[in-house]
Amino acid sequence: MNLSHHDSNERMSQIVVHNGTVYLAGQVPTDAGAGMRGQTEQVLARIDALLAKAGTSKEHLVSAQIWVTSMSEFAEMNAAWDAWVAPGRPPVRAAVEAQLAKPEWKVEIMVVAALPES
């Protein structure tokens, strides 16, 4: 079995790679003082960095799960997402309203991507 864990601690890994598929942990913003769009942009930048570390990119996304704390800010999250997602290559996606681990966080995103074929 081809399985590797990266950026791990005793609780979780930020990246797990299994048989050509990259799984990222849910990513949250670094500056919780930003609004929904700003927090989403931070999360997407973190996803870009982790995907690159794993040897892939947003062009190879398979799926995304998005949690937002208020659907009243859903359009702001979508504005950041739409500006970021690879044109013509959107992943399957689900987005739901949820209470996050820290009340100041507005968004958390978890993605799965394929490794590019060599």
Side-chain angles (χ1 to χ4, degrees):
M1 174 170 51
N2 182 5
L3 182 67
S4 61
H5 298 77
H6 308 271
D7 294 354
S8 303
N9 61 31
E10 56 281 343
R11 179 169 293 144
M12 63 184 282
S13 297
Q14 291 297 313
I15 305 166
V16 173
V17 181
H18 177 254
N19 290 337
T21 304
V22 176
Y23 302 86
L24 297 189
Q27 299 301 305
V28 294
T30 53
D31 175 11
M36 175 63 85
R37 183 170 183 152
Q39 286 195 22
T40 304
E41 289 168 346
Q42 293 169 36
V43 169
L44 296 172
R46 291 182 75 176
I47 289 171
D48 278 336
L50 288 169
L51 290 173
K53 187 172 191 173
T56 190
S57 67
K58 65 186 175 186
E59 286 77 15
H60 300 281
L61 286 180
V62 174
S63 69
Q65 296 177 29
I66 303 171
W67 298 271
V68 297
T69 55
S70 175
M71 282 298 179
S72 68
E73 297 181 290
F74 191 63
E76 293 176 53
M77 182 281 297
N78 271 330
W81 176 270
D82 292 345
W84 173 81
V85 75
R89 311 234 15 195
V92 297
R93 188 184 104 163
V96 298
E97 185 176 79
Q99 183 177 359
L100 301 180
K102 291 189 177 180
E104 60 270 22
W105 291 340
K106 294 177 173 284
V107 61
E108 182 169 352
I109 302 175
M110 183 176 181
V111 301
V112 175
L115 287 173
E117 293 184 17
S118 333

